[in-house]
């Protein structure tokens, strides 16, 4: 059974700081890994999708990496802003069961002005 | 347009009521999903439809009944729910159930009284 872990569970940083969120998974047979952000009471917003054959993806101030062999992904946020405050979730789509994604518990980020 | 629209946004229902949640996308996606999310927890997969056929049912109680009338619409019919079914219900879609980016709606906040 695929297990997905996100560390840390919560993170508070001053505005302008660069930061890294971590996601680890136990089964490397994946189709892809997707990072989302979720604001309180809202739906999930897709940030980045990394296919199993890729090493990293970038969008603006965000960079996500994937090391499938070690079962790890990181989301790097550069020059953090108060508007980045949200819960960040990673989801791993299993390669052995099409359609099924397993989510980590998320990291709640607070960026202080 | 990467929008998944869910209606209603909020729903309060009694345990003897019958209600339906609706999800719509016009991106031509052929995979659609229902997730349930409790407070401070990650989304949990309930159902997956691929090409309008139910491909995954994660052992969801029969009081939840999904329906995919066409490739753009996904419904979740609710009957005889329990208070513990109160949660945020999220719909998502992707081009296929394997390689593609998943997009989520804003969710329906369901309260069972």
């Amino acid at each position: 059974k695929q297990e997905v872990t996100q560390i840390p569970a919560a993170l508070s940083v001053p505005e302008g700081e660069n930061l890294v969120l971590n996601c680890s998974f136990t089964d490397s047979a994946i189709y892809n890994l997707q990072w989302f952000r979720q604001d309180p009471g809202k739906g999930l917003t897709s940030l980045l999708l990394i296919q199993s054959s890729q090493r990293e993806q970038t969008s603006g101030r965000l960079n996500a990496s994937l090391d499938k062999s070690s079962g790890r992904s990181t989301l790097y946020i550069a020059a953090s802003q108060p508007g980045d405050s949200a819960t960040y979730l990673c989801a791993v789509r299993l390669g052995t069961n099409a359609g099924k994604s397993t989510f980590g518990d998320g990291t709640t980020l607070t960026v202080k002005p | 347009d990467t929008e998944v629209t869910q209606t209603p946004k909020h729903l309060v229902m009694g345990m003897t009521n019958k209600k339906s949640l609706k999800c719509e996308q016009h991106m031509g996606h052929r995979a659609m999903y229902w997730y349930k999310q409790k407070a401070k927890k990650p989304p949990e997969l309930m159902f997956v439809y691929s090409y309008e056929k139910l491909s995954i049912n994660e052992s969801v109680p029969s009081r939840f009944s999904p329906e995919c009338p066409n490739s753009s619409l996904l419904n979740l019919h609710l009957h005889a729910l329990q208070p513990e079914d109160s949660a945020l219900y999220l719909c998502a879609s992707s081009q296929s159930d394997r390689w593609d980016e998943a997009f989520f709606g804003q969710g329906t906040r369901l309260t069972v009284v």
Side-chain angles (χ1 to χ4, degrees):
Chain A
K1 177 187 173 185
Q2 179 75 276
E3 294 183 2
V4 181
T5 304
Q6 290 188 245
I7 295 174
L11 182 63
S12 180
V13 299
E15 182 176 4
E17 192 160 299
N18 302 326
L19 58 102
V20 174
L21 308 180
N22 297 290
C23 172
S24 61
F25 48 95
T26 55
D27 187 343
S28 61
I30 65 171
Y31 281 116
N32 56 48
L33 185 147
Q34 192 168 356
W35 282 94
F36 296 91
R37 71 172 278 169
Q38 186 174 32
D39 295 295
K42 303 293 186 182
L44 277 65
T45 299
S46 177
L47 297 174
L48 288 164
L49 172 74
I50 310 179
Q51 302 292 357
S52 62
S53 58
Q54 296 175 323
R55 298 282 294 182
E56 67 178 278
Q57 285 285 346
T58 298
S59 176
R61 295 183 293 109
L62 305 179
N63 177 279
S65 67
L66 175 65
D67 184 342
K68 204 172 63 165
S69 61
S70 66
R72 296 185 63 180
S73 176
T74 61
L75 179 67
Y76 174 83
I77 303 177
S80 58
Q81 304 170 358
D84 295 330
S85 298
T87 296
Y88 290 79
L89 295 151
C90 66
V92 177
R93 181 165 288 183
L94 301 178
T96 55
N97 193 345
K100 187 165 183 173
S101 288
T102 301
F103 280 81
D105 284 347
T107 294
T108 299
L109 172 66
T110 303
V111 181
K112 298 178 179 179
Chain B
D1 181 14
T2 58
E3 188 170 0
V4 176
T5 304
Q6 289 187 243
T7 54
K9 288 185 170 49
H10 301 275
L11 178 62
V12 179
M13 61 184 290
M15 290 188 283
T16 58
N17 292 157
K18 285 185 180 181
K19 296 286 184 183
S20 297
L21 309 185
K22 179 180 174 181
C23 174
E24 194 166 5
Q25 56 86 16
H26 296 287
M27 296 177 278
H29 289 174
R30 304 312 299 268
M32 296 186 76
Y33 313 79
W34 280 116
Y35 286 85
K36 174 183 178 179
Q37 187 178 27
K38 302 284 276 185
K40 298 190 184 303
K41 294 291 186 182
E44 296 178 3
L45 183 65
M46 300 175 71
F47 303 103
V48 180
Y49 274 83
S50 180
Y51 289 85
E52 297 147 60
K53 293 191 188 312
L54 183 64
S55 59
I56 294 178
N57 177 340
E58 289 288 88
S59 303
V60 179
S62 60
R63 57 186 184 269
F64 295 90
S65 176
E67 178 195 22
C68 189
N70 60 56
S71 60
S72 300
L73 279 175
L74 186 66
N75 298 320
L76 186 62
H77 303 298
L78 314 172
H79 173 57
L81 294 192
Q82 303 297 311
E84 58 264 29
D85 296 322
S86 298
L88 182 67
Y89 288 84
L90 294 163
C91 174
S93 72
S94 57
Q95 182 61 42
S96 79
D97 61 4
R98 286 171 172 75
W99 302 105
D100 304 287
E101 188 174 9
F103 295 93
F104 279 74
Q106 289 299 297
T108 294
R109 172 68 63 189
L110 174 67
T111 303
V112 181
V113 297

